[in-house]
Amino acid sequence: MSADRVMAAVPGVVPPHLDSLTTALVVVDGHNLVGYLNAAAQTLLAVGQNQATGQALAALVRDDGAITDLLARCRDTGEPIALRQIKLQPMMYDDVHHVVDCSATPIDAGNVLLEIVDTTRQQRINRETALLSQLDGNRLMVRQLAHEIKNPLGGLRGAAQLLERELPDEALLEYTRLIIREADRLRTLVDNLLGPGALPRKAEVNLHELVDHVYRLLCNAATGDVHITRDYDPSLPTIYVDRDQIIQTMLNLGRNAVQAVGASGHVILRTRASIGATIGTRRHRVVAKIEFEDTGPGVPTEYADKIFYPLVTSRPEGTGLGLAVAQDLANRHGGLIEFDSRPGRTVFTLLLPLDGESHG
């Protein structure tokens, strides 16, 4: 199969320009054997032209059969067919996943031109923008709800204290003390919902000193056959943050990871620098990524879209506040927490800008 057929199938594109396209182009024959990839396709699939030629497309990517079905439908109908938001993973890498839009166009004799547009970055921006919007709504709702709860709680506690003074029977005092204890517990819960009220008190710190502090706390708290390891990028510069708030943020993420693996598993604390990264819609020159990876069962699908909501938890003993508070504290530093989860590998990533925009 020659590249001439590809050029004929893409009107107006001259041969030298195929490799300058950002759209990945792949031509497969009637048996889904690869005959041609342009430069964008080679980058996306992490394979060279010579290595890919003659190989089955299914041997180069994992896609749960979505692209194979798309190609079959294209041949059956003889018409171009498009499919959006396909999850695609190059066979060369276990930890690289893309979200792509695909269109298949029949050429001749069973040959099909597959056009693949990588929408992973745009999907991530959309997801982060939604998270930030969700955070603003959560913060307003929680503050209004908390103030509505705190006022009657104070009256309830005061009434119980007054009643306690009037009760002659010592045995009856247990009931008023129970009311007072529960009122105090609910007040503490509401205060945690509201989160730290003060603005971050930022200072220049070594990020790895904070991660090390969290690492030691997690090691002391871990039980059973739980292994916690560190994987640091020594090139990370210092950062301006509120030390206590960022420690609390990382501790909440780390505790979740340790709890997720149960009595046996592996937790990794990893740091990396990401150049030209975005947080929401804002692009930063350099961003610090602090990852908390665990080998637990993963985030249940039904909780994936609401995991950062207050009081949402998949654990019976959980309060549902850890991630909500952590997300709020990260946002106060211009950062964000995102996650990727599947059974056996869940990664929560704290993103913090390092390019000076975190100064406050």
Side-chain angles (χ1 to χ4, degrees):
M1 191 184 302
S2 70
D4 292 335
R5 289 179 179 172
V6 180
M7 298 163 197
V10 188
V13 178
V14 296
H17 293 167
L18 279 177
D19 281 339
S20 66
L21 293 176
T22 56
T23 299
L25 302 179
V26 182
V27 174
V28 295
D29 65 13
H31 301 288
N32 289 343
L33 302 181
V34 174
Y36 173 80
L37 303 91
N38 70 345
Q42 294 173 41
T43 300
L44 180 68
L45 305 184
V47 64
Q49 173 70 56
N50 292 337
Q51 184 182 1
T53 301
Q55 292 288 321
L57 185 62
L60 302 179
V61 295
R62 299 185 182 96
D63 64 345
D64 297 328
I67 294 180
T68 301
D69 292 343
L70 177 67
L71 292 170
R73 288 165 51 201
C74 175
R75 293 190 183 96
D76 289 342
T77 63
E79 300 290 336
I81 297 179
L83 197 60
R84 293 174 56 82
Q85 296 188 21
I86 297 174
K87 292 183 178 180
L88 182 149
Q89 179 186 1
M91 285 292 191
M92 292 291 292
Y93 300 107
D94 290 330
D95 57 349
V96 175
H97 297 79
H98 300 284
V99 178
V100 300
D101 292 344
C102 291
S103 63
T105 304
I107 305 176
D108 56 42
N111 297 320
V112 175
L113 170 66
L114 192 64
E115 300 174 66
I116 308 174
V117 178
D118 189 356
T119 62
T120 307
R121 183 172 179 272
Q122 187 58 49
Q123 292 278 340
R124 179 174 173 268
I125 290 174
N126 292 343
R127 184 175 65 250
E128 291 181 357
T129 301
L131 278 175
L132 291 171
S133 177
Q134 178 191 103
L135 181 61
D136 289 338
N138 286 351
R139 192 178 290 137
L140 178 60
M141 177 191 69
V142 166
R143 291 192 180 281
Q144 291 174 339
L145 181 62
H147 286 301
E148 290 296 324
I149 293 174
K150 288 180 77 171
N151 289 334
L153 269 183
L156 182 67
R157 191 184 194 281
Q161 287 177 315
L162 291 174
L163 180 60
E164 188 175 49
R165 296 173 189 171
E166 302 296 327
L167 290 175
D169 189 343
E170 180 68 26
L172 296 176
L173 295 180
E174 180 58 31
Y175 296 108
T176 56
R177 289 167 185 165
L178 175 62
I179 295 172
I180 292 171
R181 284 199 303 271
E182 287 301 292
D184 289 341
R185 184 182 66 81
L186 288 174
R187 185 178 182 88
T188 300
L189 178 63
V190 169
D191 287 339
N192 288 335
L193 277 171
L194 288 170
L199 292 173
R201 293 180 295 179
K202 296 179 181 178
E204 187 175 13
V205 298
N206 183 321
L207 191 59
H208 288 133
E209 289 181 7
L210 308 189
V211 182
D212 268 339
H213 180 74
V214 172
Y215 167 77
R216 290 191 294 271
L217 292 175
L218 295 178
C219 287
N220 291 334
T223 59
D225 191 24
V226 176
H227 300 280
I228 305 175
T229 58
R230 293 166 289 181
D231 178 9
Y232 292 169
D233 178 355
S235 69
L236 278 180
T238 56
I239 185 173
Y240 280 83
V241 295
D242 183 311
R243 183 180 189 276
D244 292 338
Q245 290 189 5
I246 294 303
I247 285 178
Q248 185 63 54
T249 302
M250 294 192 293
L251 192 57
N252 288 3
L253 298 177
R255 283 172 175 163
N256 273 6
V258 171
Q259 291 168 356
V261 300
S264 177
H266 189 196
V267 174
I268 304 173
L269 277 59
R270 183 184 298 110
T271 63
R272 293 291 186 269
S274 181
I275 307 300
T278 57
I279 298 178
T281 58
R282 177 175 293 182
R283 189 172 182 84
H284 296 272
R285 183 174 58 82
V286 58
V287 166
K289 298 171 61 177
I290 305 97
E291 298 180 349
F292 294 80
E293 179 178 335
D294 68 71
T295 57
V299 177
T301 304
E302 63 269 25
Y303 288 93
D305 293 333
K306 53 188 176 183
I307 195 167
F308 292 106
Y309 282 131
L311 305 180
V312 171
T313 177
S314 59
R315 296 196 308 272
E317 73 282 5
T319 64
L321 294 178
L323 288 177
V325 170
Q327 187 72 277
D328 185 41
L329 293 176
N331 186 244
R332 291 167 188 246
H333 290 77
L336 189 72
I337 298 170
E338 59 180 22
F339 76 98
D340 178 61
S341 181
R342 61 181 184 271
R345 184 179 184 270
T346 295
V347 183
F348 277 83
T349 304
L350 169 61
L351 304 172
L352 294 171
L354 286 170
D355 51 11
E357 294 183 43
S358 62
H359 285 248

